[in-house]
Amino acid sequence: MVTKLGTTVIRIRVGSTNPVKVNAARHAFSQAYPNHIIHCEGQHAPSGVADQPMTEADTRLGAQNRARYCFENANSEMNFFVAMEGGVDAFEEGAATFAYVAIMDDKGKLMTGRSANLPLPNKVYQRLQANEELGIVMDELFNTDNIRQKGGAIGLLTNHAATRESVYTQALVLALAPALHPEHY
């Protein structure tokens, strides 16, 4: 971390150029480190999984792969490497969408977290099983455009009481616990 005029700057590389993901990382770190300046930038990072992960395992792996890619391809002084991956799976209660988040510190320590589940309508899940992406299905169902870079399916299905960004932000804050209190982990 760099000190600038008495204030510590935390530099974060996000494994996506999607503004929702970059803003979620900025908000999460601003909440977790309120007395710091947060510098956050996105970059393309491959997930190594399908564009629409259909299992918890693939979703988790996608987030971790993106964070590792950012860490391994760092070309400047970054403190954290962050990635988020939205996925879908079928649970006992029914199909749901959720996200995994992965955070690596500058020493390569990996912290992984997960969001809550958002139940999906069966007709949406069936289309995902037919290899369609959630954002595209939701755009068609709700007559929206590029909802992935806005509130996401979460915003649409909760009447914007929650959004894709708010869910990512919460998952990232929770995943940061080991960085905030390393003496206990």
Side-chain angles (χ1 to χ4, degrees), residues 13 66-74 81 104-109:
R13 175 72 46 85
R66 289 180 194 271
R68 283 188 188 102
Y69 179 89
C70 290
F71 175 78
E72 292 166 0
N73 292 282
F81 306 89
M104 289 190 88
D105 66 17
D106 55 0
K107 295 169 186 60
K109 179 180 179 178

Side-chain angles (χ1 to χ4, degrees), residues 13-176:
R13 175 72 46 85
V14 180
S16 175
T17 58
N18 184 325
V20 169
K21 293 181 178 184
V22 174
N23 288 334
R26 182 179 296 108
H27 289 139
F29 278 81
S30 293
Q31 289 175 30
Y33 297 95
N35 299 319
H36 295 69
I37 296 170
I38 306 301
H39 174 79
C40 200
E41 60 186 54
Q43 81 170 71
H44 170 74
S47 68
V49 299
D51 288 341
Q52 179 58 71
M54 294 297 291
T55 65
E56 274 196 284
D58 277 355
T59 307
R60 183 176 196 254
L61 180 61
Q64 291 174 339
N65 284 346
R66 289 180 194 271
R68 283 188 188 102
Y69 179 89
C70 290
F71 175 78
E72 292 166 0
N73 292 282
N75 58 6
S76 61
E77 287 293 319
M78 292 290 163
N79 304 108
F80 292 96
F81 306 89
V82 176
M84 292 144 263
E85 188 76 26
V88 174
D89 208 338
F91 299 93
E92 187 176 324
E93 302 80 20
T97 186
F98 50 87
Y100 266 94
V101 299
I103 304 167
M104 289 190 88
D105 66 17
D106 55 0
K107 295 169 186 60
K109 179 180 179 178
L110 179 65
M111 297 164 273
T112 304
R114 187 188 182 286
S115 75
N117 281 355
L118 172 72
L120 286 176
N122 192 45
K123 65 183 175 184
V124 171
Y125 183 63
Q126 288 173 349
R127 290 183 61 183
L128 300 179
Q129 287 180 301
N131 296 321
E132 293 187 62
E133 285 187 56
L134 181 58
I136 294 167
V137 173
M138 297 306 291
D139 278 339
E140 185 181 308
L141 192 65
F142 282 85
N143 196 29
T144 53
D145 181 49
N146 198 16
I147 198 64
R148 292 184 313 184
Q149 293 194 1
K150 299 173 187 166
I154 296 162
L156 293 173
L157 292 172
T158 66
N159 292 334
H160 301 284
T163 63
R164 191 174 189 207
E165 184 176 316
S166 71
V167 169
Y168 288 158
T169 299
Q170 182 187 46
L172 287 165
V173 168
L174 296 176
L176 275 168

